[in-house]
Amino acid sequence: MQSKATTVEQYLASLPEDRRAAVSAVREVILENLDEDYEEGIQYGMLGYYVPHEVFPAGYHVDPKQPLPFAALASQKNHMAVYLMGVYGQPQLEKWFRDAWTKTGRKLDMGKSCVRFKKLEDVALDVLGEAIRRVPAKAYIQQYESVIRPPDKKKAPAAKKSKPAAKKTVARKRA
């Protein structure tokens, strides 16, 4: 469910009280652990945490007018969710995240980058905070670029193909 809010304050004010309290608590953990090069705002109808164009001018490859998304927080129809693009695509970090969450005794309801929850008590806030802290903006940009714009692989020069010899045509005499 995308919100029509244009500011963080409008977004939070639009939520029912129970969801506002849960989203606000998760938001505080994100903000406490967010690298200073990220910014918070509304992105794709959610609370977004992104690398602004001042830090990464290229923006998001899907829509370069958008800053590079890093994380998001939203109240959806049937749940709330934290989207952790910084964890997605980094197998070691994802393994750490899943293992650390499991050790808390809380059930992890996670897709590729989406951690769904129905109430604040379902969220391992310390693990979430550490996941955010583990990915400073410069490291995130570097990882992102390595996937989106992989370095050129040096290839051995191809052997030059020799042109086939021109066919000689022989004129045949008619009998």
Side-chain angles (χ1 to χ4, degrees):
M1 240 167 44
Q2 283 194 352
S3 171
K4 302 286 184 211
T6 58
T7 68
V8 172
E9 293 74 22
Q10 286 176 353
Y11 186 91
L12 293 171
S14 73
L15 300 177
E17 182 54 42
D18 61 331
R19 289 208 175 191
R20 184 179 319 121
V23 168
S24 293
V26 173
R27 175 179 175 247
E28 285 304 312
V29 170
I30 292 170
L31 290 172
E32 286 171 8
N33 293 283
L34 199 63
D35 180 71
E36 65 183 19
D37 283 339
Y38 292 112
E39 286 184 4
E40 177 187 52
I42 298 295
Q43 193 173 35
Y44 299 105
M46 302 179 278
L47 299 181
Y49 305 90
Y50 46 80
V51 183
H53 285 106
E54 295 81 38
V55 176
F56 186 61
Y60 185 35
H61 75 282
V62 174
D63 181 0
K65 293 177 188 169
Q66 289 285 333
L68 178 61
F70 168 67
L73 177 58
S75 176
Q76 303 294 6
K77 183 177 179 180
N78 296 314
H79 62 271
M80 291 166 279
V82 179
Y83 300 86
L84 300 171
M85 284 68 83
V87 171
Y88 175 69
Q90 295 193 56
Q92 289 179 322
L93 183 58
E94 182 182 345
K95 180 180 181 342
W96 167 84
F97 182 80
R98 288 179 180 276
D99 291 348
W101 192 289
T102 300
K103 287 177 187 172
T104 69
R106 291 181 173 89
K107 181 182 178 217
L108 177 61
D109 182 2
M110 184 175 183
K112 291 186 178 189
S113 73
C114 172
V115 177
R116 294 171 287 273
F117 60 99
K118 297 215 181 236
K119 55 190 185 302
L120 183 59
E121 296 76 31
D122 296 339
V123 183
L125 292 172
D126 55 336
V127 176
L128 175 61
E130 180 62 23
I132 296 292
R133 185 174 35 255
R134 285 183 176 217
V135 189
K138 287 180 178 39
Y140 181 58
I141 293 166
Q142 188 174 30
Q143 190 271 336
Y144 174 78
E145 286 186 314
S146 75
V147 173
I148 300 306
R149 297 177 189 95
D152 293 335
K153 293 182 180 175
K154 302 226 177 200
K155 295 180 181 177
K160 289 186 178 181
K161 293 181 180 177
S162 57
K163 292 183 179 179
K167 291 183 181 177
K168 294 183 180 178
T169 55
V170 177
R172 293 188 179 178
K173 291 185 183 180
R174 293 185 186 216

